[in-house]
């Protein structure tokens, strides 16, 4: 059974035609299910927990990255308790859709992707007792970081630092990046004289990372904040996502 | 200015320590490592190591192959080929199988030529 969760902005007048198109295609492809609208429901986690108990196997987010991150994090929390994680799909609408784009999904092909049901497992990152799919953003870049219990990193300038699990955007994507490790990424703001020939970014794969400065807080999956002390590492936990056959392996 | 080969290695490198970063401790890299920042302690990789023009390294270094263009205080053990460019300033001993030194480089230390096998057993 499919559970559709619509983001609150979907209800705006300009999106009515899009919604009508989505619901027509859902019916045509036999992908009908229950529809819930954010704004009406109070807690995605509680809703999904109830639906999963009733047998829901596939959760489809209709909206953008903010909604998709909430769904992913809710599924992770629920799965943590009962290990029965449903499959997640996306129908991206409007701007800020890096998650769907990464999985090769656009509004035009989303229904075909869901119907084809090509499922892939993705490993999660772990931050203290929480999990994340794409990235953790450390905004207080003057903080010290301990890597692999082996060396410390300090930053000379105030840059945003990212811990990347899935490289959703192009700036995080590199050749030869190890898939079984998390990566620390930072880039100097502005251009240096040597910017074309000297890298002004840093990219460091690691197994384990600690942030001890209690003044530091981090943004997890563009969704919620956690305060230090923090320990971040790759996790064995995985999540199932419906992806497009056009998804590139990055 | 970098040659094409180094630019390609930078693009494909698994690890980059950029100019805004300071590393203290024992750094072990897998794959090619590019350093443009400050490192104190030790650096180890079995692949290619590039120490860029802006870097300041106070560390013992072990690598499969190396190109040095920055400041290094510490000993280097390079299994295969070591290239030292004109902007390099090295205070320490170098053990390597093959070496080239560009005019203008500064080296204060001993250079010992050993085969890759001898370097591994070092």
């Amino acid at each position: 059974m499919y559970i559709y969760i619509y983001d609150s902005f979907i209800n705006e007048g300009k999106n009515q035609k899009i919604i009508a198109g989505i619901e027509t295609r859902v019916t045509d492809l036999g992908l009908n299910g229950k529809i819930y609208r954010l704004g009406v429901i109070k807690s995605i986690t509680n809703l999904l927990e109830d639906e999963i108990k009733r047998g829901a196997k596939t959760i489809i987010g209709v909206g953008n990255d903010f909604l998709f991150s909430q769904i992913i994090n809710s599924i992770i929390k629920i799965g943590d308790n009962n290990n029965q994680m449903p499959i997640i799909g996306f129908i991206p609408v409007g701007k800020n859709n890096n998650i769907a784009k990464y999985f090769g999904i656009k509004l035009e092909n989303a229904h075909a992707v869901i119907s084809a049901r090509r499922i892939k497992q993705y490993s999660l990152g772990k931050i203290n007792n929480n999990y994340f799919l794409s990235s953790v953003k450390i905004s207080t870049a003057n903080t010290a970081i301990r890597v692999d219990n082996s060396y410390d990193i300090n930053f000379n300038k105030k840059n945003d630092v990212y811990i990347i699990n899935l490289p959703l955007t192009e700036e995080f994507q590199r050749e030869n990046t190890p898939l079984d490790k998390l990566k620390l990424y930072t880039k100097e703001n502005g251009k240096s004289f040597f910017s074309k020939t000297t890298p002004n970014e840093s990219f460091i794969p690691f197994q384990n990372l600690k942030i001890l400065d209690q003044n530091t807080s981090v943004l997890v999956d563009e969704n919620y904040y956690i305060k230090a002390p923090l320990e971040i590492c790759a996790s064995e936990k995985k999540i199932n996502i419906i992806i497009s056959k056009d998804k590139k392996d990055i | 200015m970098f040659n094409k080969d180094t630019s390609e290695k930078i693009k494909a490198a698994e690890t980059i320590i950029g100019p805004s970063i300071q590393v203290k401790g024992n750094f072990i890299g897998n794959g090619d490592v590019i350093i443009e920042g400050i490192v104190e302690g030790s650096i180890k990789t079995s692949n290619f190591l590039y120490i860029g023009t802006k870097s300041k390294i106070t560390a013992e270094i072990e690598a499969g192959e190396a190109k040095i263009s920055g400041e290094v205080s510490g000993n280097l053990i390079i299994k295969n080929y070591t290239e030292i460019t004109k902007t390099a300033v090295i205070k320490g001993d170098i053990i390597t199988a093959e070496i080239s030194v560009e005019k203008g480089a500064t080296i204060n230390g001993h250079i010992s030529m050993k085969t890759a096998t001898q370097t591994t057993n070092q």
Side-chain angles (χ1 to χ4, degrees):
Chain A
M1 184 175 63
Y2 292 88
I3 302 295
Y4 291 86
I5 299 182
Y6 285 18
D7 206 332
S8 50
F9 76 86
I10 297 287
N11 296 321
E12 289 167 14
K14 61 181 179 178
N15 293 321
Q16 289 309 308
K17 211 175 168 184
I18 295 174
I19 295 298
I22 289 171
E23 291 174 356
T24 303
R25 273 174 268 161
V26 161
T27 307
D28 288 347
L29 290 171
L31 302 172
N32 301 72
K34 280 188 194 172
I35 295 174
Y36 291 97
R37 291 180 160 78
L38 269 194
V40 175
I41 54 173
K42 289 185 180 166
S43 162
I44 291 182
T45 308
N46 291 344
L47 164 76
L48 291 178
E49 205 162 15
D50 290 340
E51 288 296 341
I52 290 165
K53 280 181 193 164
R54 284 186 215 132
K57 301 284 184 208
T58 310
I59 311 299
I60 308 291
V62 183
N64 62 19
D65 284 352
F66 184 65
L67 171 68
F68 299 159
S69 291
Q70 287 183 77
I71 292 173
I72 288 163
N73 277 285
S74 297
I75 299 288
I76 292 167
K77 277 182 204 160
I78 297 165
D80 212 14
N81 294 328
N82 63 25
N83 288 322
Q84 289 176 356
M85 290 214 209
I87 294 156
I88 303 174
F90 306 113
I91 299 178
V93 177
K95 296 178 187 174
N96 302 318
N97 269 301
N98 288 320
I99 294 176
K101 188 180 172 186
Y102 179 78
F103 294 120
I105 304 167
K106 300 176 220 176
L107 178 61
E108 296 76 28
N109 74 350
H111 295 83
V113 169
I114 294 167
S115 179
R117 211 169 169 83
R118 184 170 174 243
I119 296 164
K120 193 167 176 186
Q121 275 195 333
Y122 287 90
S123 294
L124 300 170
K126 189 175 179 188
I127 177 165
N128 291 356
N129 294 323
N130 301 290
Y131 296 89
F132 65 98
L133 179 67
S134 62
S135 65
V136 172
K137 182 175 166 183
I138 305 168
S139 53
T140 309
N142 285 332
T143 197
I145 289 174
R146 177 150 299 160
V147 182
D148 292 339
N149 289 317
S150 187
Y151 59 92
D152 291 345
I153 295 178
N154 287 285
F155 301 90
N156 298 331
K157 297 188 179 182
K158 279 191 179 180
N159 296 327
D160 286 333
V161 177
Y162 295 87
I163 305 300
I164 300 161
N165 182 43
L166 281 195
L168 294 188
T169 54
E170 266 186 42
E171 66 176 339
F172 296 154
Q173 293 165 5
R174 291 185 59 82
E175 304 172 33
N176 302 328
T177 188
L179 297 174
D180 59 339
K181 287 186 179 175
L182 298 178
K183 281 75 70 175
L184 181 149
Y185 174 85
T186 184
K187 189 171 180 178
E188 271 187 42
N189 295 324
K191 286 187 179 179
S192 75
F193 179 78
F194 298 106
S195 63
K196 284 187 180 173
T197 53
T198 305
N200 59 354
E201 59 184 14
S202 299
F203 193 88
I204 303 174
F206 66 90
Q207 303 273 21
N208 178 286
L209 182 147
K210 288 177 185 160
I211 301 171
L212 302 171
D213 180 359
Q214 295 191 3
N215 293 323
T216 304
S217 61
V218 302
L219 180 62
V220 183
D221 273 346
E222 300 285 329
N223 205 322
Y224 62 94
Y225 285 91
I226 300 182
K227 273 197 104 177
L230 299 165
E231 184 166 354
I232 304 174
C233 58
S235 153
E236 287 179 2
K237 238 185 216 314
K238 294 183 195 295
I239 197 160
N240 296 308
I241 294 181
I242 300 174
I243 67 171
S244 165
K245 62 178 171 58
D246 299 325
K247 160 82 179 80
K248 292 179 201 171
D249 278 324
I250 299 168
Chain B
M1 195 62 105
F2 298 151
N3 59 29
K4 192 180 168 191
D5 189 41
T6 307
S7 294
E8 281 169 2
K9 283 198 188 259
I10 288 172
K11 270 189 211 165
E14 187 179 288
T15 302
I16 300 177
I17 296 175
S20 65
I21 277 196
Q22 273 186 323
V23 170
K24 273 190 195 173
N26 301 321
F27 177 85
I28 300 176
N30 299 306
D32 294 348
V33 177
I34 308 296
I35 301 179
E36 284 286 2
I38 298 171
V39 179
E40 292 175 26
S42 67
I43 300 168
K44 203 169 177 175
T45 177
S46 53
N47 283 45
F48 172 76
L49 170 68
Y50 173 64
I51 293 181
T53 52
K54 292 194 218 174
S55 359
K56 289 187 184 355
I57 312 292
T58 309
E60 301 294 291
I61 296 173
E62 277 184 52
E65 197 178 311
K67 179 170 178 173
I68 314 292
S69 297
E71 266 182 49
V72 176
S73 296
N75 299 319
L76 293 89
I77 301 176
I78 311 300
K79 194 173 169 187
N80 297 303
Y81 172 54
T82 305
E83 181 185 350
I84 299 174
T85 70
K86 61 185 177 187
T87 53
V89 177
I90 300 175
K91 290 176 205 166
D93 299 336
I94 303 171
I95 300 173
T96 186
E98 286 182 86
I99 193 165
S100 72
V101 182
E102 197 176 12
K103 182 179 173 181
T106 303
I107 303 175
N108 283 301
H110 292 111
I111 299 177
S112 303
M113 306 305 296
K114 294 191 179 178
T115 62
T117 316
Q118 289 171 321
T119 311
T120 306
N121 293 336
Q122 185 67 25

